[in-house]
Amino acid sequence: KFAVRKSKTKLLDIGINVGPTGSLNPYAVLLPVDVNGVMVKRATLHNEDYINTKDLRIGDQVIVERAGDVIPKVVDSVVEERNGSEIPFKFPSVCPSCLYKVVRLEGESTVICLNVSCPARLERSIEHFVSKVAMDIQGMGPRIVRILIENNLINNLPDIFQLKINDLIILDGMGQKKAENLVKAINDSKTRPFSNFLVALGIPYLGIESAAILANHFAYMENLVKGTHDELLSLPSIGDKIAQSIIDYFANESNLGTVNALNELGVGIG
DNA sequence: CATACTTCTACGCGCCTATA
DNA sequence: TATAGGCGCGTAGAAGTATG
């Protein structure tokens, strides 16, 4: 097995993932290639500017590298090998999931879908909600999340806590044992620390570290909701971006409704 | 018991934000 | 403007469970 750090392959296509907060994240679909012992068929492209700056075109031969032998990335296109059939990539103007017009805010590199009812956003926000750093609901990975949504068992975050064993047991590949384990995991997650609950909400720029600082200062959701921009800014490692992001989140009626509904189900209190 | 399928975990670099 | 550090990215392999 050769130790190849960089490899050349063909950029077959550029796809778009919709993130939990509606961001449109581009990724490269590659002709599978061995990069230092690993077959790589996909690599992140970060954002619209990254594609434009590198002038990556669909059909290009591209250099793929695994940074630290872990995460693959497209580092360059091989311009000399173009034959004229390569197609420049136009970043989508509508969300690939809900077809709503997307926006790119001044000074931001991220293009986002603002439709709060976007199906892709719902799916990704639930995946994030149940993930390890957030509510840590074991046995509820992306696949199960999709099945639950497809079967109309989940239409929003609070719905997760209404799931019953009998709802789950009828699903494909879900038996008594899995259903029991999932319901138990969901119930256990109700007592996750405030910081993890905050992360679970999916507030842009708010990760576990910043959330821990907020949780430490405010202790309860009702205090945080009342927190002013200045108070947030006074906290270590909370700058204008994160502060504004938090203010924006709690200024949104729909978000407040979600938080209240969760609290009433015994989720994320204390 | 064998097979199929899903989830979980580790990995470490570099974009982006916070801060001086 | 420069430096520090949080955060998320894609893949393989292990661990676990469902099903026949």
Side-chain angles (χ1 to χ4, degrees), chain A residues 48-92:
Chain A
E48 183 178 16
D49 290 345
Y50 190 88
I51 300 168
N52 292 338
T53 307
K54 306 257 181 200
D55 187 26
L56 303 178
R57 305 184 189 180
I58 294 164
D60 268 348
Q61 288 293 318
V62 292
I63 304 299
V64 183
E65 190 181 276
R66 281 202 306 141
D69 290 342
V70 180
I71 305 295
K73 64 180 283 193
V74 175
V75 291
D76 231 335
S77 60
V78 186
V79 179
E80 312 85 74
E81 294 191 24
R82 284 187 181 151
N83 61 22
S85 68
E86 296 77 14
I87 306 166
F89 181 68
K90 282 200 211 75
F91 208 87

Side-chain angles (χ1 to χ4, degrees), chain A residues 153 164-177 179-180:
Chain A
L153 292 172
K164 302 284 184 291
I165 291 177
N166 286 342
D167 299 329
L168 301 171
I169 217 162
I170 54 170
L171 299 174
D172 221 28
M174 180 77 75
Q176 179 77 26
K177 184 84 175 170
E180 279 173 9

Side-chain angles (χ1 to χ4, degrees), chain A residues 214-247:
Chain A
L214 292 176
N216 190 46
H217 180 82
F218 290 100
Y220 298 103
M221 185 60 81
E222 51 183 351
N223 298 333
L224 173 61
V225 172
K226 283 183 287 190
T228 63
H229 194 274
D230 282 347
E231 186 176 7
L232 292 167
L233 263 186
S234 74
L235 300 173
S237 80
I238 306 293
D240 186 59
K241 275 266 186 191
I242 296 181
Q244 195 54 52
S245 183
I246 294 164
I247 297 281

Side-chain angles (χ1 to χ4, degrees), chain A residues 19-25 105 108 110-114 116 121 125 128 197-208 210-211 214 224 232 237-252 255:
Chain A
T21 56
S23 58
L24 268 57
N25 309 320
L105 301 176
E108 299 268 338
T110 312
V111 172
I112 55 174
C113 168
L114 292 175
V116 291
R121 285 185 61 179
S125 67
H128 173 77
F197 178 66
L198 272 180
V199 172
L201 296 176
I203 301 172
Y205 306 117
L206 189 65
I208 189 64
S210 320
L214 292 176
L224 173 61
L232 292 167
S237 80
I238 306 293
D240 186 59
K241 275 266 186 191
I242 296 181
Q244 195 54 52
S245 183
I246 294 164
I247 297 281
D248 289 347
Y249 181 87
F250 291 114
N252 181 309
N255 291 338

Side-chain angles (χ1 to χ4, degrees), chain A residues 142-162:
Chain A
R143 181 76 187 184
I144 300 296
V145 169
R146 167 159 289 186
I147 291 172
L148 292 173
I149 291 174
E150 280 171 356
N151 283 273
N152 243 318
L153 292 172
I154 291 182
N155 288 301
N156 50 53
L157 296 177
D159 282 351
I160 295 169
F161 297 89
Q162 310 276 20

